[in-house]
Structure formats: structure tokens, C-alpha cells
Amino acid sequence: MEKENVKSVYIHIPFCEQICSYCDFCKMYYDKNIVNKYLYELKKEIKKRYKNELIETLYIGGGTPSILNISELKTLFSIIDMFNLSSNLEFTFECNLNITKEKLEFLYQNKVNRLSFGVQSFNKKILKFLNRNHTKKDIFNTI
Ligand code: SF4
């Protein structure tokens, strides 16, 4: 993170419930203990490098950020509170299609104003080939 001109922040949450066959992202299976350590190190890194710049866009991607449970999301959002956020903040959170209503409400109540869902196909066979863990029905239900 450069000292000047930082307006955008990307935070990577590299945990997934299932590993898709085509994926080149930095990711690993969800593990509660590693999530705790990761969030601890994330906080340390931001404390060390962030110089109170005004943040206009914030993107939480992965991995699967929506895999975090409510307690882990609270920890993540307490870390995000360290940022000086613009009143016009664009705040995106990447979600899996099996995200719960409780988590969606939490995101809505905590300044998230943009969601990103990964829908690779509506075709059952292709979804199976890609090792995606959702159905065509999930796409319509969740979105
Ligand atoms: S859910 Fe996303 S990050 Fe995780 S393995 Fe699939 S494509 Fe990769």
C-alpha cells in the first residue's frame, strides 16, 4: 500500500467451502483456526501500513468472503472500521450463492452497498464439471 493516492482497498479472504476445478485464485479450504490467525495478521498489516487515507472504494473478495460466520464477519468489520471511509463509499462484498439471510442482513447493516455473486453456468452438467457447489435454483433464489 503506497502512502499517497490510496483511494481503494482490496481485502482477500482466501477461504472456500469447495475448490472449483478451474480456479487460479489464492485459496484454501475453510479452517476456523487459520481464519482467526489470518484476521489477526490482516489487522496487524493494516495497522502497520495504513496512513489514514480517505477510502472511496472497498472490495472484499476471495476465496469466498461469505463463508465467514457472523462472529468472524464481526471481527473482519471491526478491522474495516480502522479505515477512514468516504461518505460516498462503494463497498463490495463477494458472496457465494448459499449465503444466509442473516449474513446478508449483517452486510446491509454494515455499509455494504454492492454484492458480487459468481454464477459460472446455469447448466447442471457444467456446474458439476466445474465443481461448483450451487444449483440453477440457488441462482434465482439467492439473487
Ligand atoms: S469459490 Fe471462487 S475462489 Fe473458491 S475455489 Fe471456487 S472459484 Fe476459486
Side-chain angles (χ1 to χ4, degrees), residues 14-51:
F15 307 103
C16 296
E17 180 181 291
Q18 191 162 328
I19 301 298
C20 308
S21 58
Y22 59 88
C23 180
D24 276 335
F25 296 120
C26 171
K27 81 283 179 186
M28 60 178 293
Y29 282 109
Y30 173 90
D31 178 306
K32 195 173 177 36
N33 293 326
I34 298 177
V35 170
N36 287 338
K37 285 181 194 157
Y38 186 85
L39 293 174
Y40 175 78
E41 292 300 327
L42 177 68
K43 186 174 183 176
K44 254 173 60 183
E45 172 103 12
I46 294 170
K47 262 190 179 167
K48 187 173 159 193
R49 297 179 184 273
Y50 175 60
K51 307 293 180 202

Side-chain angles (χ1 to χ4, degrees), residues 38-72:
Y38 186 85
L39 293 174
Y40 175 78
E41 292 300 327
L42 177 68
K43 186 174 183 176
K44 254 173 60 183
E45 172 103 12
I46 294 170
K47 262 190 179 167
K48 187 173 159 193
R49 297 179 184 273
Y50 175 60
K51 307 293 180 202
N52 208 41
E53 299 94 334
L54 185 67
I55 303 303
E56 294 178 354
T57 62
L58 181 54
Y59 194 105
I60 314 294
T64 311
S66 60
I67 201 171
L68 300 184
N69 63 36
I70 291 286
S71 161
E72 292 157 348

